[in-house]
Amino acid sequence: MLRIAIQKSGRLSEESLKLIKECGISFVNSSLKLKTECTNFPLEILYLRDDDIPGYVADGVADIGIVGENVLVEEGMQQLAVEQLGFSKCRLSLAVPKSADYDDISDLAGKNIATSYPNLLQSFLDEKGVQAHIHTISGSVEIAPSIGLADAICDIVSSGSTLISNGLKEVERVFKSQAVLISNQNLSSEKQQVLNKLLFRIHAVQRAQRAKYILLNAPNDKVDTISQLLPGIKSPTILPLAEEGWSSLHSVVNEDDFWEIIEKLRDAGAEGILVVPIEKMIK
């Protein structure tokens, strides 16, 4: 049984549980439970505070975990990282009151900055050659300037709406973060095998999220041209249609290239283009 620690509430928790379910792993989720066993995969889920997850994984209380990269680096445990997961993306940013004059980072020299991430902030200030006074607080960082506790804050930003509602403006990006899978470095060979199986499923889900399945019809004299536009995993599948002189082409396209390729396909003579999401993609 492999033990995975995830955040007990919040967006990171929701997206972590969603990933586990997309991997075909079944479990009963309850806000009242602090742990639950999966029914069709040797995995036990522990619900913990995000700040505690790196320590529990390092100590072997949990075998693996999903945590924000910002938390991992703040705790100085980057060596636990297995890979980035691509969700719960955010940034650690510096913000000042809207009314404050700000030209560059040197304006914060000698100022008081409130944050829950003193190590990441200190590293950023050192890199910029700026000396400031860091006040470490937990929670409600945005209120610090309005009550006279600090001249600026350094906090996690997703959309920026919380900053705006508290009369602040984002002025510097300190660190980019996303969810990462971490692992104890002394897993038994049996647990490593289970982790490898889990990673296989995660990779299949991730590849599918970055791809689209395309079906289209084309006149036979345009098939070669259109085939060149469809990268696919190897090459597009070509099937004859009931209508003489026409074929159906099937392929997979990277989401980043999706709209550009669609326009080129249409210009090359493709018709009846269908775009379908992919649930899993195995290589």
Side-chain angles (χ1 to χ4, degrees):
M1 182 75 69
L2 195 69
R3 281 186 161 186
I4 182 171
I6 67 166
Q7 188 173 313
K8 61 183 179 181
S9 61
R11 187 165 64 95
L12 179 57
S13 175
E14 293 171 0
E15 296 194 41
S16 299
L17 293 174
K18 179 184 175 185
L19 174 63
I20 294 172
K21 288 178 180 177
E22 288 175 339
C23 287
I25 300 172
S26 301
F27 58 92
V28 177
N29 188 25
S30 170
S31 59
L32 301 178
K33 286 188 174 183
L34 296 179
K35 65 177 183 177
T36 185
E37 284 190 16
C38 299
T39 58
N40 61 346
F41 192 84
L43 188 70
E44 183 178 41
I45 302 172
L46 306 181
Y47 301 95
L48 304 172
R49 289 181 65 254
D50 58 342
D51 292 348
D52 294 335
I53 292 175
Y56 278 126
V57 172
D59 293 340
V61 176
D63 301 306
I64 60 174
I66 296 177
V67 68
E69 198 169 5
N70 55 297
V71 173
L72 191 66
V73 177
E74 176 64 25
E75 298 295 327
M77 296 186 179
Q78 299 94 312
Q79 74 278 6
L80 300 179
V82 175
E83 63 181 83
Q84 295 176 323
L85 296 174
F87 58 83
S88 291
K89 292 184 179 180
C90 59
R91 59 194 181 274
L92 182 66
S93 294
L94 281 161
V96 299
K98 287 181 182 178
S99 58
D101 292 328
Y102 187 90
D103 293 320
D104 56 44
I105 189 66
S106 63
D107 290 337
L108 295 179
K111 299 293 181 67
N112 296 318
I113 307 175
T115 186
S116 300
Y117 301 92
N119 296 325
L120 280 167
L121 175 57
Q122 188 64 65
S123 177
F124 178 77
L125 293 175
D126 289 345
E127 181 184 321
K128 299 296 183 180
V130 173
Q131 292 187 344
H133 305 291
I134 298 175
H135 293 268
T136 304
I137 61 176
S138 57
S140 303
V141 175
E142 295 88 353
I143 200 174
S146 65
I147 62 175
L149 179 63
D151 303 294
I153 69 163
C154 181
D155 201 19
I156 291 297
V157 178
S158 294
S159 66
S161 59
T162 303
L163 293 180
I164 293 172
S165 63
N166 284 277
L168 301 171
K169 60 183 178 182
E170 185 178 0
V171 293
E172 300 284 346
R173 294 188 180 185
V174 174
F175 184 80
K176 288 184 178 180
S177 179
Q178 62 178 286
V180 291
L181 181 70
I182 62 175
S183 173
N184 180 273
Q185 296 182 300
N186 297 302
L187 291 182
S188 66
S189 59
E190 292 84 359
K191 288 189 174 183
Q192 185 62 53
Q193 288 178 5
V194 177
L195 175 55
N196 291 341
K197 290 180 180 179
L198 178 60
L199 285 170
F200 176 80
R201 297 189 184 199
I202 289 174
H203 293 157
V205 171
Q206 289 177 326
R207 280 192 291 267
Q209 290 171 342
R210 296 192 297 266
K212 300 289 184 184
Y213 190 71
I214 292 182
L215 304 86
L216 60 88
N217 298 331
N220 288 342
D221 60 351
K222 300 290 186 181
V223 166
D224 289 342
T225 301
I226 291 174
S227 295
Q228 296 300 317
L229 298 173
L230 291 171
I233 298 175
K234 288 189 176 179
S235 63
T237 300
I238 303 173
L239 302 171
L241 292 181
E243 184 175 345
E244 190 72 25
W246 284 78
S247 295
S248 175
L249 283 74
H250 301 200
S251 188
V252 175
V253 176
N254 189 295
E255 191 169 27
D256 294 337
D257 305 322
F258 172 67
W259 286 111
E260 183 179 351
I261 289 176
I262 287 293
E263 292 176 2
K264 290 180 179 179
L265 291 172
R266 189 178 58 181
D267 293 342
E271 297 181 8
I273 302 173
L274 297 179
V275 182
V276 183
I278 301 171
E279 185 175 328
K280 308 286 188 300
M281 195 163 80
I282 313 297
K283 279 193 174 182

